[in-house]
Structure formats: structure tokens, C-alpha cells
Amino acid sequence: MRTETETPAPTSPDAAERTARRAVTVFPVLVLLAGALGLLTPGTFADWKTSVPYLLGIVMFCMGLTMTPVDFKGVAQRPWAVLLGLVAHYVIMPGLGWLIAHALNLPPQLAAGVILVGCAPSGTASNVVTYLARGDVALSVSVATVSTMLAPLVTPPLTLLLAGEYLPVDAGAMVGDILKTVLLPVIAGLVVRLVAGRWLARVLGTLPWLSAATIAVIVAVVVAGSAAAIKSAALLVFVAVVLHNGLGLALGYGAGKLGRLGKPASRAMAFEVGMQNSGLAASLATAHFSPLAALPSAVFSVWHNVSGALVAAWMSYRSRKDEERTA
């Protein structure tokens, strides 16, 4: 189970759920406050644009620190389910981004930003939301891990294919950026965990909050960079993000049902498809397009955590009711 990262297992299921709910509740609030700060005092973050890739590298390094060989063992044990999750993720969300951009007739910068969000790997909070929904956490972790590892190979060509009609896309440079800011930090974190796991046990509980704070700074920088345009574009971006995320959750769940994976796995599929690594999307949009193109990523970062928590609560309620009926 991870928020931005994985925490050590609490001593009881109730404690685990309290920890998970606290993380899912605090994270969007923290990001929302950071966005407000960026909007109200854009000058504070005027010189921070070049730091965004490094900030994302911190988040991904923390993610790597939480990985263990068990995550990869789960892929080998359930290749069909993981493959279905990957295909659903990298087909549904990019396709929805392109369709929504056309349906809403978004300006080129915003259209490219929405599509880029759709082409990003699974969201870093999907595992903990799957846990709250009483879903298949092992499947969630496996899909999130592999989708992140495949991002350098998948995200740039998909972005070029779908967003190239709006803005020039340098897929080669994007591959390099994802390798530097995602894959290498994740691998470095994994190596450190394997070598020094015993000493890391004491600090693993702080990693989710370090990651959350770092993502919040990224959002503040992104919002500050497009503060002048937000008043005119905010509503349109919000509508695009809500549609993108909502349809992704629904279609992800549907893909699990069509694949006959069962209800817990279908819940995991919903969040692995509908929740995106918006921090990566924001970093790439800022580096390759513009701060305005990164705005959908900033809004998505807040909204998908809010919607994920609400959908997880509803799924958990339905699961308990089903258990009561069959008891």
C-alpha cells in the first residue's frame, strides 16, 4: 500500500485504515493550499521552474525506496491481470484525453496538457485508495510498478501521436527526461532499499509526507507559472479533469469486469486506470510545453485524490453490504 510511497505495516487493520485515510485526506488539502499559494504569490515561485524535474526525482526516489522484490514477484504470478491493467491504462486514459480535448475544443496548450496527463503512468496514490476500497492491493502495486518502469518507452510516443497535432513534441528529449527524473531515481531508491533496508525501516513512515510536500511544491510552481491565465481557463480545465478522471475510473472498473478478474481486482483496475502520475505530467509539460500546459496536471493532482477517496468509500460500503447479504 502506498500514498506517494509505502508505509510500514501498522499493527492492526484499523490502524492501517486510519493511516491510509489520513494520507488520502491530508494530501489533496496540502496540494490545494500549495496551489492557492502559487496563485496568490506567483512571484515567490518565479525562479523555481527549473527545479521541477529535480523535485519529481525526489518523489520517484522515495517511491523506489518503498519497492521490494515482492512487487516484481507479483507480476510474474499474475501476468494476465497485470498485462490487462497496463493495456487498459495506456489505452483508456490517453484516448480519453484526446477525445476530451476535441469535445471541449480546448486551446492547444491545454489540450496538450490534458493528453499528457492521460499518457502518464499510474498515480502514486492509487495503491492506498485501492486499499481503502477493499480492492486487490497486490495487483494495484504490480500495475503501478510496471507502468512506471515502462513510462520512458510508452509516454513519449503516445504524447507525440495524440498531442502532436496541437504542439510540437520532441519525443526523444522526453524519453531522456523520464529516464532522468523517473526511472533512474526509482532504480536508485530500489538499490538503496535492497542494500540498506534495515536502516531505512525507521524512516519509511516519513516518506509519504516528504513526497506529498514535494508534490505540493511542484503544484505551487506550476500554478504560479500560469497564474495570469487561470481565471479564464480554470473552469474549462476543471471540467476536462473531472471528465477524464471520472470516465477513467468507470472504464477501468469495466475493463476488470470484462476481464473476469473479480470485484476486488476490478476495484484495483479502476484506480490504476483513472489515477495518473500528475507530478510527472506537470514536470514534462513545464519542460516541453509551457506552464499553462501543466495546469491540467496541477488540477488533476488535487481532484483525483478527492474523487479516489470518495469512490473508495462507496466501494468499501458496497463490499461490506455484499458480505452482510452472503453471511
Side-chain angles (χ1 to χ4, degrees), residues 8-324:
T11 56
S12 71
D14 288 343
E17 187 159 340
R18 285 196 299 272
T19 300
R21 290 189 185 281
R22 188 181 306 120
V24 171
T25 300
V26 171
F27 179 55
V29 172
L30 182 63
V31 172
L32 188 61
L33 290 174
L37 184 63
L39 183 63
L40 295 174
T41 61
T44 304
F45 304 96
D47 299 325
W48 288 38
K49 178 181 174 181
T50 56
S51 68
V52 170
Y54 301 99
L55 293 170
L56 178 63
I58 293 173
V59 176
M60 303 316 297
F61 178 72
C62 289
M63 180 179 179
L65 287 175
T66 72
M67 289 184 176
T68 66
V70 175
D71 295 342
F72 299 93
K73 183 180 178 180
V75 178
Q77 291 174 334
R78 305 171 69 183
W80 158 245
V82 175
L83 178 62
L84 179 60
L86 291 172
V87 172
H89 179 87
Y90 279 121
V91 170
I92 290 173
M93 290 305 281
L96 283 175
W98 185 87
L99 288 172
I100 289 168
H102 277 265
L104 297 181
N105 195 27
L106 296 178
Q109 297 286 345
L110 294 180
V114 169
I115 291 170
L116 183 53
V117 171
C119 295
S122 295
T124 49
S126 58
N127 306 147
V128 72
V129 176
T130 297
Y131 172 78
L132 291 176
R134 307 182 81 178
D136 190 332
V137 178
L139 176 61
S140 175
V141 170
S142 295
V143 174
T145 299
V146 179
S147 72
T148 299
M149 293 297 188
L150 290 178
L153 300 176
V154 180
T155 298
L158 276 176
T159 305
L160 174 61
L161 175 66
L162 300 174
E165 65 181 279
Y166 293 102
L167 293 173
V169 178
D170 188 341
M174 196 174 285
V175 169
D177 285 348
I178 298 176
L179 286 172
K180 289 184 292 185
T181 61
V182 175
L183 195 59
L184 290 180
V186 167
I187 292 174
L190 177 60
V191 171
V192 171
R193 175 69 182 270
L194 291 174
V195 173
R198 184 179 303 175
W199 291 274
L200 285 173
R202 297 180 180 179
V203 300
L204 283 178
T206 66
L207 295 180
W209 307 108
L210 173 60
S211 296
T214 306
I215 288 286
V217 174
I218 293 174
V219 170
V221 174
V222 168
V223 171
S226 55
I230 284 179
K231 290 184 179 179
S232 60
L235 180 59
L236 188 60
V237 171
F238 182 72
V239 170
V241 165
V242 171
L243 286 173
H244 201 180
N245 170 243
L247 290 172
L249 291 171
L251 293 176
Y253 185 85
K257 297 291 285 184
L258 286 174
R260 299 182 179 180
L261 298 183
K263 288 185 178 179
S266 295
R267 295 183 198 121
M269 289 279 287
F271 300 115
E272 289 309 317
V273 172
M275 299 183 73
Q276 301 294 94
N277 189 331
S278 48
L280 172 60
S283 175
L284 292 175
T286 301
H288 294 271
F289 300 141
S290 70
L292 181 60
L295 184 58
S297 306
V299 176
F300 204 101
S301 186
V302 178
W303 176 252
H304 79 157
N305 285 283
V306 173
S307 67
L310 293 174
V311 172
W314 178 76
M315 286 182 173
S316 178
Y317 171 78
R318 290 296 301 271
S319 177
R320 288 194 298 269
K321 287 297 182 182
D322 289 343
E323 289 175 0
E324 290 172 3

